[in-house]
Each structure stands twice: as C-alpha cells, then as structure tokens.
Amino acid sequence: MNRSIRTVLVASAALAFAVPAALAQESRPNILVVLFDDVGFTGFGAYGGDANTPRIDALSQSGTLFSRYYSSPFCGPSRAMLMTGQDNHETGMGTLVETVTPGQRELPGYSMIWDDGQQTIASRLSEAGYRTYVSGKWGIGAKGANLPNRFGFDRSYVMDSTGGSNYDHSHYLPGYQDVAWYEDGEPVRLPEDFYSSRNLVDQMIEYIDEGGTDQPFFGFLSLQAVHIPVQAPLEFIDRYDGIFDVGWDVMREERWQRAINLGLVPDSTTLAPVHEDHRAWDDLTPQEQRIAAREMQVNAGMIEAADYHIGRLLDHLEETGQLKNTIVVVTSDNGPEGGVTRLENPVANLALNGIRALEGYDTSPDNAGLPGSLVAIGPEWASVSASPFNLYKFYSSEGGLRVPLVIDGPGIAAIGVQDGLVHVTDLMPTLLDAAGVAYDPAAIYGQSMLPLLAGDTVEARGPEDSFGVEVSGNAALYRGNWKLVRPALPRGDFTWRLFDLPVDPGETTDVADENPELFAELRAEYDAYSQENGVLDLGAEDYAEKQLFSNLLDKVIGKYWAYLAAVVLMLLLSVFALYRLVRVLMRRRTA
C-alpha cells in the first residue's frame, strides 16, 4: 500500500470517527445548572430585586423566566430532588440532617444515606457519554456519606455541609467542627485566598477545559451565595451604600409593586402581612438601622459578585465556542433565610458572643461581610427578598417554596415570563429530554417541561395534575390554580388552608370554607401523597427549628462544657465572696 493511499485511508477512518462525535456534540447540548443558595423570589434584578445581576437578567431576556417555579423550603431535600427527579422522601432526604427527629431516624424516608444504586442526573448523563462536573455546596444527607463522586460526577470539588464561610473552613453554626471540603471524594484544604463564588467558577472552568470538547458536558455550579454567613468582597458591598437606608417596610412594598409591573404576579396580588414578631423599621435606633442596612448591602453585594463570576464562566464558554450549544439553568434551592446571628435575651446573646469569640469570629459591624464575619439578614429583610409572598425558608408558604428560575440555550424559546406550574423534580427529566437520554417516567416524580421551553405549549401541567411538598411538618399540595398548605411552627400555625393562587399569591384569603368539597378532596390527595412517599406526619410541636436548637445545644455543651463549667464556678465564687463581704460589714456595724 503506497503512502498516499494509506494517508487517505487513515484520514477517512479518522473522519468516520470524528464526524459522529461532532454530530453528537451538535445534537446533544452542554448543560450548566447554576444553583444559588437562599435567594428569594425577588432576589435577582430580572425579578425586581435591588442587586445588580446583568448576566442573569440577559439570560432571562433571551430565554424563559418562570413565575411559578417551586422547590423545597429546606436546602438538602431541595438538592436531592434536583439531582434525582424524585420526591425527597423517596431518596431518604425527608428533612435536613440537622433537623431529623428520633422518630424519623427509624424510617427509610429519613435515612440521610444514598445506596450505591441511587440514580442522579449526573449518573444518567455520564452513562450517555456526558462529562460531568460539580463545584460548590453539596449538602445532601449525612456529611461525607453521599459525595458526588459516587453518583455519576467525573470531577467534584464540594463543601459537604449546609453552610460554611466563603473564605475558609469555618462553620456558621456554633459548636460544629470545621466544614469539610472534598475533591473527587478526598478531603482537601481551601487555598489561602479563597472566596467562594470566584474559586468555584475557576474550578468549573478548569474541569471543563481539561475535559476537552469531544463530548458534551454537564456542569453543576452550586454557589454558597447567599447562605449564612453572608459575605462579599468590599468593592461589591460598597456599591450599595444608601440603597437600603429606607428600611425593610418601604422596600418590601416596592418589590411587591415591581413584581406586579413585571408581570410576575397578578394585579390582584395583596401583599402578605409580616409575622407579628417582625420589628418595624422605625422602631429601630439609628445605630440599629445602620447595621441592618449594611447587612442587606452585603447580601446584595454577594449576589452581584456571584453574577459577575457566572459572567466569567459564560464568557469563557463563548470564547471556546461552547456557549451557543449550552443550556444554562439559574435557580435557587429555597426561599430566603430568616435566621439571625444575635439573640434578644441579653444573657444568652452574651454567651453566644463569647462562643463566637472562641471560634475566631469578628462580628463587629465594621467587619460585616469580610473574612471572619458572620452576617445574616434576619426575618425582616428575608420578607423583602420573598416579597410579595408570605414568610421564607423553612416554611411551606409561597415565600419558602417559590423561587426564581431562568433557562436559556439551544432549543429554548424566548418566551419571557412563563406562568406554568413547575416543580424542582421537573428539571431532571427536562434536561434528560434535551440531551436525548431515555429514562423511565414512572421512576421520576417530576415531568418534562421541554415542550413548554420549546414554545410548543403554554401549560406545564394539566388542571388536574398535582404535586406534594413536605419537610418537617411543612406541607403543601399544588393542583392547577389551587394550593393546600400547612406551614409549621414557630411562624406558621400548623393549620390547613386553601388558596386560589392566580388571584391571591400572597396567601391572604383562606377559601376553604367556600370550597368544602375541593378542600376535602385535596386533603385526601395530600394524604395519599404522604402515604405513598413515606412521610412521617409530625405533631405541631415537633417543628424543625426546635429540633435544630436542641441539636445545637447538645453540640455547644459537648464542645464548650469546660468553659461553661468555669463560668458557673466563677459565678459561685462571686456569690460566696459577696456573702462573705456582707457578713463582715454586718459584724462591723454590730460591733
């Protein structure tokens, strides 16, 4: 065989293999899922928020922005559903690992452990020839037990915790050990100059580049923004000087009106009342107002910083010719966090500050958002981020469940605001359909919304289709226009109510008495959902925050018992010394 003929044959053989690979990449899109942490319904600019998010806003303009997308009110169950397309109880993630009750621990729906055979979107895409990567927060079930390298991810760089510092390994909850990070299942230490959004995007870019372009990729960028501790570089924080000085009462109403003007909620929307324990802005002292406004500045700066780094990733995909074939999904795991880092009881707050000092935190206002800080926006600002809805994270009200969702990319129609009813478990079958990967619909709780994204239909579900939600007593059932809901304590009242959401998304008018047959029908449907998925129906007093506090107290006492014993001993000695002093003075007076 002469050289020229051999060259032609080799070239032909190479072409025979290369063409199918190229065609496969053209027909199978890359998929990038960007998951924020604790961003409320009006957290992004496209949803009426005050944070500047130009890259997310641009995706919403060229793709689809959802106004009725529902997740879970807790992060771990939400992430389990996103990864598996199954109900959280089906995968053993009935609640957070920090809030499991003793009774729940005995049941498979709360095992917090995945078997090796657990299918995820990554394992399904990997089997179909995708390269699969994750960087960021994982936080699904028992720590270290369900790391992503076991469930279909080729490369993984993850924090396996519900939350941690954006600068180092510090945990945000008192008494806990340092937060663990893993690369490909092995423990790693963070670099000295770590900042979460920047480094997680850098890691995703590195994984994508090392994988080459001969196969499509699935990337899961799971940001820490904006979970407690809320932190951001100073340059992003200072851009919001003065923006939040008018306070949460005014800004909550502004976001309500913006949501109406943007067509995200109907004109009939009544702003949900805030809980009775929320503070009125005008009741704060000027110093308290300055601190509170600064905390929300940090929150906005953290969201903008994340958007900036997402933009770097999108620019990189553009420069390498991959963006036009990439479906980009941007969403949040649940509603905004209403937790606090200060306590009203001055003695308890003093003790907490002492523990924070031992753990190396600098909680001074001047350090807000910077390394060593521990900022939370609290319930009042959370109600702004969730406006116009009721409550926030940890509740099955709209404020806890209804979050932003933006999807753009090949095959996605520029629909604008989409009002179809969509659940977090719908994302996996939708993306598998987009990738041309077969699956058994009966094994998935969600359903594909690809026809909706392609503009082939305007409804994600039929009027009789429904889905249920349950986490730690927070329960809901959605069917068409209707929502049956029971928010748990302490800010819910554990009472079932019925709402007509297209008229009243603020959940302000219970229509159960006007629709008794429908109410009973939906209650029965929820009970069937609960039984089918192995839900343990908790009592009213078994709410998650109570369990979380109990577990926290155990950890704090276990870790700091020696300090607590020293404080008690000093108090006893002080009382004894005072007693002796009084006796001496009385004897002198008697003498």
Side-chain angles (χ1 to χ4, degrees), residues 362-564:
D362 176 0
T363 57
S364 63
D366 291 342
N367 192 52
L370 304 181
S373 62
L374 189 62
V375 169
I377 62 174
E380 295 90 355
W381 283 126
S383 70
V384 174
S385 185
S387 179
F389 303 140
N390 183 33
L391 295 174
Y392 22 74
K393 180 180 178 179
F394 288 128
Y395 297 98
S396 53
S397 57
E398 291 293 277
L401 295 173
R402 196 158 163 176
V403 293
L405 172 65
V406 172
I407 304 180
D408 189 24
I412 310 299
I415 298 172
V417 177
Q418 167 54 247
D419 297 326
L421 184 63
V422 177
H423 187 234
V424 60
T425 54
D426 298 341
L427 288 176
M428 188 176 93
T430 301
L431 296 173
L432 291 179
D433 276 351
V437 177
Y439 58 92
D440 178 8
I444 305 295
Y445 189 67
Q447 61 186 57
S448 174
M449 55 176 168
L450 195 60
L452 185 74
L453 290 170
D456 296 335
T457 180
V458 294
E459 295 291 342
R461 282 179 163 75
E464 298 302 315
D465 293 336
S466 65
F467 60 78
V469 176
E470 197 284 334
V471 182
S472 292
N474 280 283
L477 185 93
Y478 290 88
R479 187 215 282 175
N481 292 344
W482 303 104
K483 179 184 181 184
L484 178 77
V485 62
R486 183 191 65 189
L489 273 61
R491 292 192 170 104
D493 61 3
F494 209 67
T495 299
W496 287 106
R497 292 187 174 84
L498 180 66
F499 296 104
D500 183 359
L501 287 182
V503 176
D504 181 26
E507 300 173 289
T508 60
T509 304
D510 180 10
V511 295
D513 290 343
E514 300 168 25
N515 303 275
E517 293 183 2
L518 176 64
F519 181 74
E521 188 179 327
L522 293 180
R523 281 282 288 112
E525 194 167 341
Y526 173 80
D527 288 345
Y529 155 80
S530 175
Q531 185 171 5
E532 182 178 344
N533 290 285
V535 174
L536 176 63
D537 201 13
L538 299 174
E541 295 299 324
D542 297 325
Y543 55 93
E545 288 188 31
K546 182 179 180 182
Q547 186 65 43
L548 176 63
F549 182 77
S550 173
N551 293 341
L552 275 177
L553 197 59
D554 288 345
K555 284 189 174 294
V556 167
I557 292 174
K559 187 173 182 179
Y560 297 110
W561 66 268
Y563 293 95
L564 293 171

Side-chain angles (χ1 to χ4, degrees), residues 35-38 75-76 79 83 96-98 133-149 153 155-173 176-191 194-197 199-200 203-204 207 220-231 302 333 361 393:
L35 183 65
F36 276 78
D37 202 326
D38 295 354
C75 62
R79 291 159 189 271
M83 285 292 106
L96 289 177
V97 68
E98 288 89 352
Y133 315 123
V134 53
S135 65
K137 172 178 169 178
W138 185 244
I140 298 176
K143 293 177 174 59
N146 308 307
L147 294 177
N149 60 296
F153 284 96
R155 300 301 312 272
S156 57
Y157 185 84
V158 297
M159 174 186 75
D160 197 23
S161 173
T162 53
S165 170
N166 296 275
Y167 298 105
D168 55 38
H169 287 263
S170 302
H171 205 290
Y172 72 107
L173 292 173
Y176 278 69
Q177 301 297 325
D178 279 357
V179 171
W181 283 78
Y182 300 85
E183 183 161 29
D184 302 330
E186 298 297 327
V188 293
R189 298 298 296 178
L190 298 174
F194 181 83
Y195 177 69
S196 63
S197 294
N199 287 66
L200 296 178
Q203 192 65 64
M204 181 59 68
Y207 285 161
F220 178 35
L221 176 62
S222 182
L223 299 167
Q224 292 176 244
V226 284
H227 195 281
I228 299 172
V230 183
Q231 296 168 322
M302 192 173 189
D333 60 350
Y361 278 100
K393 180 180 178 179

Side-chain angles (χ1 to χ4, degrees), residues 263-276:
L264 299 171
V265 293
D267 293 345
S268 60
T269 303
T270 299
L271 183 64
V274 296
H275 192 266
E276 60 188 12

